[in-house]
Amino acid sequence: MYLSLRIKIMFLMFALISSLGIVFSESATRLIRQKTEETFQARVFQLTEGVKEAWNNERNSLLRNAALFAESDRLITYAVYGLYNLLGKEIRRLVSNAGRYEIQIHLKSGVIISGAEEMPKSGNSLDPGNSKLQLSKIDVKFDNKSIRMTAIVPIQKHGEFIGLLKLEKDLNDGVIRELSKLLQVNLAITGKGSLYSSSLPAALKKDFLINYYRSEGNSEKPFLMTMARQRYHAAGIDVGTTDNGDPIIIYFMLSKEKFLSLIESAKEQNLELTIFALTIAYIFAFLFSEKVLISRIRRIRDGSMIIAQENLEFRLPKIWKDELGDLAKSFNEMAEKLSENRKSLVHQNVELQTWVQRLEQMKSYIQDILGSLTTSVITWNQQLIIATVNPAAEKDLHDFFPKLEGLSLRKFVKALDKKNRAIFFSALRDLYEKKVQAMPFDLEFDLGEHRGFKVMQGILSSLRDKNGVENGFILTLEDITQRKIIEQQLYHADKLSSIGQLAASVAHEIKNPLASIKTLGQLLQEETDVNDSRREYIDVIVSEVNRLNGVVEQLLRYAKPEGSSFRKIKFSELIKPVQTLLHHELERNRIELKVEFEELLEVNVDVEKLKQVFLNLIFNAIHAMNAGGCVILRAFHDGATPWTIFQVEDNGTGMPEEIVSRAFDPFFTTKQRGTGLGLAIVKKIVDLHGGKIELKSRSGTGSLFTIYLPKERERGKTDA
């Protein structure tokens, strides 16, 4: 009886998968029940901690906002000088911007200014000597079936007590709904036996109160309640008391029905088990085919090898009653025809060998020519697949393409960034559409982190046969990285030299008048009484003259830098003073500085100048982060290169591409009071060390400065 092997294997796989599917279905059903119960219990426990944390966050957020308002320069100035109308307007502006808050300022003189009232009113005067008034606190009150949270913080200027700022917020249904969305659970705040606010719809509040009174206000353990014909697990969390000693209890209600979605998870598990069953079935089928099918094919293969060894008299001895039997029969017929055609092929073989010999010689000659070229040569055929690659191309592009031959054009250009891809396609379009050889173009290849870029000049040309028919195109590449670096350094050095001479002449002209203005300003300070209203203007004049004098000093340092003194030093000794200088500024802006380096790392640098580099870069990072963040400073030796690498990375606002390209230009700045010399001085110091600096940044993702300095100074090279 003739029975196809395909049918045998498929029947066996079907029987095995069916039996395994039944077993896995039962296992998945049990898993559904177990996972649903475990997940629900874990969710109840997590919500208990989550509600407490959300309450504490709400308190801390209100206290932080009150502290920020109390530090407002406008509020303090208006309060000190008694400008109550302006103070009231500023309070109302802050209230309109902040939303949901009420602000009240109680000055030590007894004057009370509120955002809810147009005119100030009188109250009790405050004693600055009372130490309790110097402390910030949070009060919570139940008032007319609502709950209100109040933050009270002192207002001070230069350590002098001015008054108290109260920031109040109603914990109404809207606020509780936001917390409910965050925790993904229904919430309700109770106290004094009443419901004050909740995220429940109006139709469910009555059901909640009925269940609440039935539970007798028990908040120690979870209990079941029914609302709108749905069963909920509820639990009360005691989050503290009001300033009157009344307990504040937040209840959360969790429906077990929502956790039925875990069935989908179990179904996915069932799918995975089914795939596993399929895998087992295929393995079994493979073993079956190996013993039954492959053994027969192996006999046919062995016969083919015998035929390949020119023994055309060999025949397969056994014919099987299936597809392989048909194949064996065809094999024997093929051997008969080969034997008959052998004689006619002998003559043709001699001529063929002659042509092969010539082709091999030509191929060897072409390979010798391409192998002798130092320029990279790559050819693509009509299917846009790389046909040939010379050794220079394999060497230059090995870091990006481990194997070039056989690579498609799509995969080749995928390794290029968007800009270089556009350049390459533009040249290719000129070649095919305009039928002219494309002009030379530059391609940048990223060597990876800490290694920079390789710049190669490319030329595209058509690949034609002896009849002029196009069979593809040729790309030649020449490494011009060093030439580009030298051109850029010469351009930058020439630009900096011109700007430096101009800056030096301008700075010298400004310095003498500044000295006169500063001297006269200081005389006016000494002759003007501290309480005189004009004294503040004089102080501003002297302060601004000092700032302008600092800018002039910076210009002079940029134009004519001090001599350098290079020496070996442990990096830990170099960076410690920098951390000390930045400590106060980092704390004030709520920014964390992480320094990562090996304990024994040594660097050969001008210590003071490199300190200035780190200070400038980290100050720039601080100014780029408005609401706190993190700055990371890394230092390490790159074993594959002669560089010591320093990185300063922040998660601030970042910079767009047009600003990144000009970041190191002198006098270019985006800051309102900046000089535009900070990064220019950093670039000049790095150049003085014989190194280079790179900047990577994108808007909204932060910036990364990478500095490459030589590990060792060249022998015989003197310091400036």
Side-chain angles (χ1 to χ4, degrees), residues 470-574:
E470 290 187 1
N471 290 324
F473 64 92
I474 304 172
L475 172 65
T476 59
L477 295 170
E478 182 179 358
D479 190 348
I480 60 170
T481 305
Q482 293 301 320
R483 187 173 74 191
K484 285 288 184 181
I485 292 174
I486 293 171
E487 288 176 357
Q488 186 178 7
Q489 289 178 344
L490 289 174
Y491 170 77
H492 195 72
D494 182 64
K495 184 176 180 181
L496 293 184
S497 175
S498 301
I499 294 175
Q501 292 176 4
L502 176 61
S505 61
V506 171
H508 279 296
E509 290 297 327
I510 293 175
K511 200 166 181 63
N512 291 334
L514 277 181
S516 301
I517 295 172
K518 181 177 179 181
T519 302
L520 293 175
Q522 289 173 338
L523 289 174
L524 287 174
Q525 275 183 321
E526 295 174 358
E527 295 175 0
T528 304
D529 188 74
V530 175
N531 298 323
D532 193 328
S533 61
R534 294 172 296 178
R535 176 63 181 264
E536 183 177 356
Y537 305 140
I538 297 171
D539 291 342
V540 171
I541 292 172
V542 174
S543 173
E544 291 301 304
V545 168
N546 286 333
R547 190 176 73 84
L548 186 56
N549 191 55
V551 173
V552 173
E553 295 284 346
Q554 200 173 12
L555 279 172
L556 289 173
R557 285 197 300 271
Y558 175 76
K560 294 182 179 180
E562 301 172 356
S564 300
S565 176
F566 293 91
R567 61 188 177 93
K568 272 195 174 182
I569 185 174
K570 284 188 175 181
F571 185 74
S572 57
E573 297 177 10
L574 183 149

Side-chain angles (χ1 to χ4, degrees), residues 10-66:
M10 294 303 294
F11 176 80
L12 182 61
M13 290 176 60
F14 177 80
L16 182 60
I17 293 172
S18 298
S19 59
L20 290 175
I22 295 172
V23 175
F24 293 151
S25 178
E26 291 296 324
S27 174
T29 302
R30 290 194 298 270
L31 182 64
I32 289 172
R33 299 191 185 99
Q34 179 183 354
K35 287 290 183 180
T36 302
E37 188 63 28
E38 291 177 357
T39 305
F40 185 81
Q41 296 299 327
R43 178 63 173 157
V44 172
F45 176 78
Q46 292 172 355
L47 283 173
T48 301
E49 300 300 320
V51 170
K52 291 180 181 179
E53 184 177 354
W55 177 262
N56 290 331
N57 287 342
E58 191 69 27
R59 288 167 54 92
N60 294 337
S61 175
L62 187 65
L63 193 60
R64 284 195 300 270
N65 288 336

Side-chain angles (χ1 to χ4, degrees), residues 579-629:
Q579 291 176 282
T580 303
L581 290 171
L582 292 169
H583 178 73
H584 176 71
E585 188 70 15
L586 291 168
E587 281 195 345
R588 190 172 69 84
N589 290 276
R590 303 190 308 280
I591 293 173
E592 180 185 5
L593 174 62
K594 294 182 180 180
V595 183
E596 301 174 358
F597 63 94
E598 294 182 0
E599 187 64 28
L600 300 179
L601 178 67
E602 290 188 345
V603 292
N604 191 356
V605 297
D606 184 314
V607 176
E608 295 304 319
K609 285 186 171 58
L610 199 59
K611 285 180 185 177
Q612 184 180 357
V613 168
F614 291 141
L615 286 172
N616 284 358
L617 294 180
I618 295 174
F619 269 119
N620 278 357
I622 292 172
H623 295 155
M625 292 182 282
N626 299 324

Side-chain angles (χ1 to χ4, degrees), residues 276-290:
F276 177 76
L278 283 171
T279 305
I280 296 297
Y282 278 119
I283 293 174
F284 189 85
F286 171 78
L287 295 175
F288 175 80
S289 62
E290 176 67 24

Side-chain angles (χ1 to χ4, degrees), residues 116-149:
E117 298 179 7
E118 291 290 332
M119 298 298 294
K121 61 182 181 179
S122 298
N124 297 328
S125 60
L126 303 178
D127 181 13
N130 187 351
S131 59
K132 293 183 179 180
L133 299 180
Q134 306 293 332
L135 301 176
S136 300
K137 64 178 182 177
I138 286 283
D139 291 335
V140 182
K141 291 182 179 179
F142 294 116
D143 183 27
N144 297 327
K145 292 188 177 182
S146 66
I147 183 168
R148 171 166 289 199
M149 186 179 293

Side-chain angles (χ1 to χ4, degrees), residues 369-384:
I369 294 175
L370 293 175
S372 302
L373 293 174
T374 58
T375 301
S376 300
V377 180
I378 305 172
T379 64
W380 275 270
N381 58 23
Q382 290 181 326
Q383 288 74 37
L384 300 180

Side-chain angles (χ1 to χ4, degrees), residues 199 261 273 335 340 404 420 447 477 490 506 510 548 644 674 682:
S199 63
S261 60
L273 293 174
E340 293 173 1
L404 276 169
N420 288 278
L447 293 172
L477 295 170
L490 289 174
V506 171
I510 293 175
L548 186 56
T644 299
V682 167

